[in-house]
C-alpha cells in the first residue's frame, strides 16, 4: 500500500495536487488563530467593501470584516462538517449495508426498502426540510446531511457484501463455528471496505458543497459565523465587489476538487483491476 502511494505521488499529478490542496486547507484551519491577521467577526464599518490590498489580502465584506481571516476560519466549519458527516454516514451505512447483505432474506428486503425510501427524495430538498424543522445550527445541519448520505454507503456496502460472503474463507469461518457477528466484523467488512473508502474520500467534497449550499440558503450556521457558504450568500448582493463571494467560493471549489482528485487516486490503488498498474 505504501509503495503504491509513493508511485501514485510520482505518476499521478492530480492525486498529488489534491493532497496538497487538502493539506493546505487542513493546516490553514488548524493554524487559523496564527495565520489570520484579524478577528473574523470584528466589524469596521468605516472600511466596508474595501478591495483586496496589502492591508486586507482578500478585501473586506459589507460589515468591514476581513475576508481573508473569515475564509481561513471558515475552513474549520466547512471541513469539520464535511469530514464528520462522511465519517458518521460512512460508519452507519457500512454496518447497515453489511448486515443487510450478509443476513439476506426478509431482513435484507426490509432494511433496503427503508434506505430506498430516503433515497427517493432529492438529497438537497430532504436536507432542507430536516434542517428547517430542527432549526438552523451546525449540529442540525450535519445531522440532516448524515440522514441523506448514509443510504448511499449502505447500498454500496450491501452490493459488495453479497459477493464477498460467497468466498471460501467465509464458509470456513462458518464451518469452524464462528458467530455471525464475528464473521461480519472480522471477515466480511474488512474485505469489503475498499469501495466505501473510495466513496468516502470523494464524498467529502460533495458534503462540503451540500453544507455550503444549505448555509447559502440560510439553513446552516447562524451569523456572524465565518462559514464559506454563508460568505458566498453575503456576496450575492455585491456583484460589483467580486471578492466578497469570489474568495470563499474559490475555497469551496478548490477543497471539493482536491477531495475528488484524492478519491480518484485511491480508486486506482484500491481497485483490484487497476492495482496492478501500481
Amino acid at each position: 500500500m505504501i509503495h503504491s502511494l509513493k508511485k501514485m505521488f510520482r505518476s499521478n499529478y492530480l492525486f498529488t495536487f489534491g493532497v496538497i490542496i487538502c493539506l493546505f486547507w487542513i493546516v490553514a484551519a488548524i493554524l487559523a488563530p496564527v495565520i489570520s491577521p484579524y478577528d473574523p467577526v470584528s466589524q469596521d464599518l468605516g472600511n466596508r467593501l474595501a478591495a483586496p490590498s496589502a492591508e486586507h489580502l482578500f478585501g473586506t465584506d459589507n460589515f468591514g470584516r476581513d475576508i481573508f481571516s473569515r475564509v481561513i476560519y471558515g475552513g474549520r466549519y466547512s471541513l469539520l462538517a464535511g469530514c464528520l458527516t462522511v465519517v458518521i454516514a460512512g460508519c452507519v451505512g457500512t454496518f447497515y449495508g453489511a448486515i443487510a447483505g450478509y443476513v439476506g432474506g426478509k431482513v435484507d428486503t426490509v432494511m433496503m426498502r427503508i434506505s430506498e425510501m430516503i433515497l427517493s427524495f432529492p438529497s438537497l430538498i430532504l436536507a432542507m426540510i430536516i434542517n428547517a424543522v430542527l432549526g438552523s445550527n451546525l449540529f442540525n445541519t450535519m445531522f440532516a446531511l448524515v440522514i441523506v448520505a448514509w443510504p448511499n454507503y449502505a447500498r454500496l456496502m450491501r452490493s459488495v457484501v453479497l459477493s464477498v460472503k460467497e468466498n471460501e474463507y467465509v464458509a470456513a469461518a462458518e464451518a469452524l463455528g464462528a458467530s455471525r457477528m464475528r464473521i461480519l466484523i472480522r471477515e466480511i467488512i474488512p474485505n469489503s471496505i475498499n469501495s466505501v473508502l473510495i466513496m468516502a474520500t470523494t464524498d467529502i467534497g460533495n458534503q462540503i458543497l451540500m453544507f455550503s449550499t444549505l448555509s447559502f440558503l440560510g439553513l446552516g450556521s447562524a451569523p456572524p459565523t465565518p462559514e464559506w457558504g454563508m460568505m458566498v450568500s453575503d456576496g450575492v448582493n455585491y456583484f460589483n465587489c467580486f471578492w466578497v463571494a469570489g474568495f470563499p467560493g474559490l475555497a469551496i471549489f478548490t477543497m471539493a476538487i482536491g477531495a475528488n482528485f484524492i478519491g480518484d487516486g485511491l480508486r486506482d490503488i484500491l481497485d483490484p483491476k487497476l492495482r496492478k498498474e501500481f
Side-chain angles (χ1 to χ4, degrees), residues 9 15 135 145 186 219 234 255 275:
F9 276 112
F15 175 77
L145 293 177
R186 298 291 297 273
L219 295 173
D234 291 340
M255 187 60 207
R275 191 182 304 161

Side-chain angles (χ1 to χ4, degrees), residues 42-49 61-65:
S42 178
Q43 300 181 11
D44 182 6
L45 298 180
N47 198 25
R48 298 174 63 249
L49 301 175
D61 63 9
N62 55 314
F63 289 103
R65 297 172 297 197

Side-chain angles (χ1 to χ4, degrees), residues 75-107:
R76 291 187 162 191
Y77 296 93
S78 296
L79 294 176
L80 176 67
C83 292
L84 276 184
T85 296
V86 168
V87 170
I88 297 173
C91 290
V92 172
T94 294
F95 282 101
Y96 190 94
I99 293 172
Y102 181 54
V103 176
K106 293 183 178 180
V107 172

Side-chain angles (χ1 to χ4, degrees), residues 9 33-34 42 50 53 58 68 81 86 90 95-96 103 113 119 126 136 142 152-153 190 208 211 215 244:
F9 276 112
V34 178
S42 178
S53 62
F58 289 178
F68 177 76
V86 168
F95 282 101
Y96 190 94
V103 176
R113 293 300 83 77
L119 288 173
L126 181 58
S136 298
M142 290 173 55
N152 294 309
Y153 292 93
I208 290 175
F211 179 74
S215 295
V244 179

Side-chain angles (χ1 to χ4, degrees), residues 178-238:
S179 65
R180 282 193 165 188
M181 184 59 66
R182 179 181 176 84
I183 294 173
L184 191 66
I185 296 176
R186 298 291 297 273
E187 306 293 344
I188 300 291
I189 293 179
N191 289 285
S192 308
I193 201 68
N194 284 355
S195 298
V196 175
L197 291 177
I198 296 170
M199 181 178 180
T201 305
T202 305
D203 200 33
I204 291 176
N206 297 333
Q207 294 306 321
I208 290 175
L209 287 173
M210 283 280 289
F211 179 74
S212 298
T213 301
L214 291 174
S215 295
F216 179 86
L217 296 173
L219 295 173
S221 302
T225 303
E227 195 280 316
W228 291 343
M230 186 182 301
M231 293 173 67
V232 174
S233 178
D234 291 340
V236 168
N237 297 322
Y238 304 97

